[in-house]
Structures are given as structure tokens and as C-alpha cells.
């Protein structure tokens, strides 16, 4: 585990008088020592025990949640104009799905086009990128590599299925980051780089319109088991043309629908009742609905058995 946050362990300042309080603009947020000096804070005040120093020339109030998100925003206060977040850190900022082990790390990834300016600070991994080879965008006030360039960079750090999940997330059904053409263009541009072979393989499996990484996992399990490939988030209409559902994974020819049930399907009462009504409507239209949750995915053979039985009942033959 990285130790970037060792200096941010919980602490409390007792008897802090009014003259030692931080300016209101600094309340609860990280700031640079240059900002502090500009606001009239003395060096002694910025060494006080109520402020932590996760990185040189930065301060953040103690007692704040030691999340990676706070570390990112803290480090942003010491970045130069040529620096930008990249790789895993950029993926976090974009909200792209990462494997659990990677999600836990507190290492911050920062890239620059000027190798001489690459920061060498504990808890920060610096990268050099050739000029004009990546697109840098602004997300929540942070300079980060574009979502598509971030996916390409991660090909040197993640496995095939991780890249497929992220690729599906880039072309998600609602508010997608990219199109298939965008990914193809990016992979061609990445030709010659380490990891491009894995990106090309991931492209074969990536599909547009996916809603969650679990849907991706379920689809990969189905197809890799030799079953026909389902339609992703397909529109299902009734005999009268009324919409019955947008199905997660649809075997239209065999009238079989696979639905992945996330936690909200159990905890949201309105969602639960809507699911019941929708299931009844689909059954009236002779659709076979198979509902899968996280626990089912721990037993892949049983999932395949259930889907196979349903497909064969609908007329499919191996």
C-alpha cells in the first residue's frame, strides 16, 4: 500500500483561536503554500498541526476523508502547466471502471510532454508522452487525458477483460464518451506502442450500448461458452407495438431475455415494483426472462446451463 496519505491521519486542533483560522475560501479544501502565502498565511501557520502535507508545497485540513479523489485534487495544486493526470488517475476522474486492486491504490499518475519537468515525489508516478500524441481535456477543473487516450494508456497496465469493460463503458448507452470509429482511430494512432496488440483484441469484444461492467461480464461468459451472441440493451415491443422493455441481453430470435439485477433492483422499492410489472408484461408476450445477479456470476456453469435450457426451449440448437 502506498504511503502518500501517512501524513493525513486523523488529527484535531484544540484551542485554535480566531486569528489562526483559515480563510473561508480555504475551508475544507486543499491548497498550495503559494496560495496560502497570497492569502496572508504565515509559514508557521501552514506548519500547524491542523494541516496535513500529502505532497510538497500542498496543504489540506486534517480530518478530511483520505480518499484518492482528495489526493488528486490536492496534487493538482502543485502541477505545472505542462502536467496532466493520466493512466489510472485519469480513468478515476472520468469515472471509468477499474479492477478492485487498481481501484485501491493511492498512487497518482501524472504525465508531461517535457521529461525534464517530470515530478519525482513519493506517491506519484510520472510518465513522459511524446508531444501532440494525446488529447488533454478539462474534467471538474482537472487536466486529464481524454477518456479514449486513457483507455489506450491502460493497455500497458491492465488485462484484456479490464480493457473490454472500459471500452464498453466508453460506448455506454447513456452519455457515451466515444463511438466505435473513435476507438478504431485511436488504436490505429497507437500503432507501434506497447499494448496495442491487446487493444486490437479488446476491440473484437467491445460493444456499444452497455450499461454496466456486470453486463459486459455476463455477455463475455455467454459468448465464450459457445452460445449465440445476444443483442445489447435491445428494445422489446409487444404485439401492439407498445414498448415492453429495454432488455440487458436479448436473444430476440429465441424470445429469451437476460437481465442483470444490480443492488438498486432490491433496495429501490419503485424499481422493484416496476421490475415486477415489466416481468409480467414480458411473460404475457411469451418471453423467457432469466434474472442474474452478482452471486450467480460466481457459478458460471449454472448460468450457462440456465441460458442453454432457455435457448433450446426457444428453438436454438448447438
Amino acid at each position: 500500500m502506498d504511503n502518500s496519505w501517512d501524513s493525513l491521519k486523523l488529527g484535531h486542533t484544540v484551542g485554535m483561536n480566531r486569528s489562526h483560522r483559515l480563510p473561508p475560501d480555504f475551508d475544507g479544501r486543499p491548497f498550495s503554500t503559494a496560495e496560502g502565502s497570497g492569502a496572508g498565511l504565515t509559514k508557521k501557520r501552514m506548519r500547524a498541526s491542523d494541516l496535513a502535507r500529502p505532497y510538497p508545497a500542498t496543504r489540506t485540513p486534517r480530518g478530511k476523508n483520505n480518499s484518492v479523489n482528495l489526493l488528486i485534487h490536492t496534487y493538482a495544486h502543485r502541477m505545472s502547466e505542462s502536467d496532466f493526470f493520466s493512466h489510472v488517475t485519469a480513468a478515476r476522474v472520468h469515472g471509468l471502471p477499474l479492477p478492485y486492486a487498481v481501484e485501491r491504490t493511492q498512487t497518482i499518475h501524472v504525465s508531461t510532454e517535457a521529461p525534464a519537468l517530470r515530478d519525482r515525489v513519493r506517491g506519484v508516478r510520472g510518465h513522459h508522452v511524446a508531444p501532440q500524441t494525446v488529447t488533454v481535456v478539462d474534467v471538474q477543473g482537472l487536466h486529464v487525458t481524454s477518456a479514449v487516450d486513457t483507455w489506450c494508456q491502460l493497455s500497458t497496465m491492465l488485462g484484456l477483460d479490464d480493457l473490454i469493460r472500459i471500452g464498453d463503458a466508453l460506448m455506454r448507452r447513456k452519455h457515451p464518451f466515444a463511438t466505435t470509429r473513435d476507438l478504431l482511430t485511436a488504436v490505429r494512432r497507437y500503432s507501434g506502442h506497447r499494448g496495442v496488440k491487446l487493444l486490437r483484441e479488446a476491440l473484437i469484444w467491445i460493444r456499444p450500448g452497455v450499461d454496466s461492467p456486470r453486463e459486459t461480464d455476463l455477455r463475455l461468459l455467454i459468448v465464450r461458452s459457445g452460445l449465440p451472441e445476444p443483442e445489447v440493451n435491445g428494445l422489446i415491443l409487444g404485439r401492439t407495438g407498445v414498448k415492453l422493455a429495454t432488455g440487458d441481453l436479448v436473444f430476440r430470435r429465441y424470445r429469451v431475455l437476460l437481465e442483470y439485477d444490480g443492488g438498486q433492483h432490491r433496495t429501490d422499492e419503485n424499481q422493484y415494483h416496476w421490475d415486477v410489472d415489466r416481468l409480467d408484461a414480458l411473460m404475457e408476450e411469451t418471453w423467457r426472462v432469466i434474472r442474474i445477479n452478482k452471486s450467480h456470476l460466481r457459478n458460471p456453469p449454472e448460468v450457462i446451463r440456465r441460458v442453454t435450457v432457455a435457448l433450446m426451449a426457444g428453438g436454438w440448437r448447438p
Side-chain angles (χ1 to χ4, degrees):
M1 176 68 69
D2 299 301
N3 296 315
S4 307
W5 204 263
D6 285 351
S7 63
L8 280 167
K9 302 215 178 185
L10 293 179
H12 301 280
T13 301
V14 180
M16 179 70 68
N17 62 38
R18 188 179 301 275
S19 65
H20 288 144
R21 290 178 182 171
L22 296 174
D25 182 50
F26 288 6
D27 186 31
R29 74 164 179 88
F31 59 92
S32 68
T33 53
E35 280 185 286
S37 296
L41 297 180
T42 65
K43 291 182 179 179
K44 180 179 179 180
R45 175 64 187 91
M46 288 189 284
R47 289 196 298 268
S49 60
D50 66 319
L51 296 176
R53 290 168 280 180
Y55 305 111
T58 65
R59 300 291 186 271
T60 192
R62 288 189 185 275
K64 304 305 293 182
N65 181 14
N66 61 339
S67 67
V68 179
N69 186 55
L70 184 56
L71 277 175
I72 293 170
H73 280 83
T74 301
Y75 187 82
H77 286 274
R78 67 170 277 113
M79 290 172 68
S80 69
E81 289 293 324
S82 63
D83 291 345
F84 47 91
F85 294 112
S86 61
H87 298 77
V88 171
T89 306
R92 288 180 183 279
V93 175
H94 285 296
L96 299 175
L98 291 168
Y100 179 71
V102 175
E103 190 74 42
R104 293 181 61 191
T105 181
Q106 293 184 331
T107 300
I108 304 300
H109 291 257
V110 180
S111 287
T112 180
E113 294 180 351
L117 299 179
R118 190 163 58 187
D119 207 355
R120 289 172 173 81
V121 174
R122 189 177 186 181
V124 177
R125 182 175 174 184
H127 304 267
H128 170 243
V129 298
Q132 299 181 338
T133 57
V134 299
T135 299
V136 178
V137 298
D138 185 282
V139 180
Q140 302 169 16
L142 301 172
H143 292 157
V144 300
T145 49
S146 71
V148 173
D149 281 324
T150 300
W151 174 67
C152 290
Q153 291 176 331
L154 290 173
S155 64
T156 63
M157 303 176 65
L158 303 180
L160 175 62
D161 285 3
D162 297 322
L163 293 174
I164 296 170
R165 292 185 194 99
I166 295 174
D168 277 1
L170 292 175
M171 297 200 298
R172 61 195 183 193
R173 183 162 61 102
K174 297 179 181 179
H175 311 297
F177 291 94
T179 65
T180 303
R181 182 185 294 274
D182 293 330
L183 297 190
L184 285 168
T185 300
V187 172
R188 291 194 190 103
R189 192 176 66 247
Y190 211 68
S191 180
H193 288 72
R194 186 166 64 93
V196 70
K197 183 177 179 181
L198 209 56
L199 290 173
R200 289 175 180 144
E201 188 173 356
L203 275 176
I204 298 171
W205 296 98
I206 292 169
R207 299 293 181 269
V210 177
D211 278 340
S212 75
R214 292 297 185 182
E215 286 182 18
T216 299
D217 292 342
L218 183 55
R219 174 174 56 84
L220 293 177
L221 172 63
I222 296 299
V223 176
R224 288 170 176 173
S225 298
L227 298 175
E229 179 167 352
E231 180 183 341
V232 175
N233 281 304
L235 177 63
I236 299 176
L237 303 177
R239 285 185 289 267
T240 62
V242 175
K243 177 182 174 179
L244 298 178
T246 299
D248 292 347
L249 297 174
V250 180
F251 298 92
R252 194 173 299 277
R253 180 176 178 182
Y254 309 107
R255 300 185 77 78
V256 173
L257 168 62
L258 268 64
E259 291 278 82
Y260 182 79
D261 287 351
Q264 80 279 5
H265 291 266
R266 300 184 303 276
T267 58
D268 187 322
E269 186 174 353
N270 291 331
Q271 176 75 47
Y272 177 78
H273 287 300
W274 187 80
D275 285 344
V276 170
D277 292 341
R278 184 179 63 154
L279 181 60
D280 285 343
L282 287 164
M283 291 175 65
E284 288 177 5
E285 296 279 351
T286 68
W287 279 85
R288 170 73 168 92
V289 181
I290 301 176
R291 302 179 73 173
I292 304 292
N293 59 35
K294 183 166 64 174
S295 63
H296 292 128
L297 289 179
R298 298 191 189 105
N299 188 3
E302 176 59 17
V303 172
I304 296 303
R305 186 198 66 78
R306 292 173 61 192
V307 177
T308 301
V309 169
L311 289 174
M312 293 187 70
W316 176 73
R317 295 294 178 266

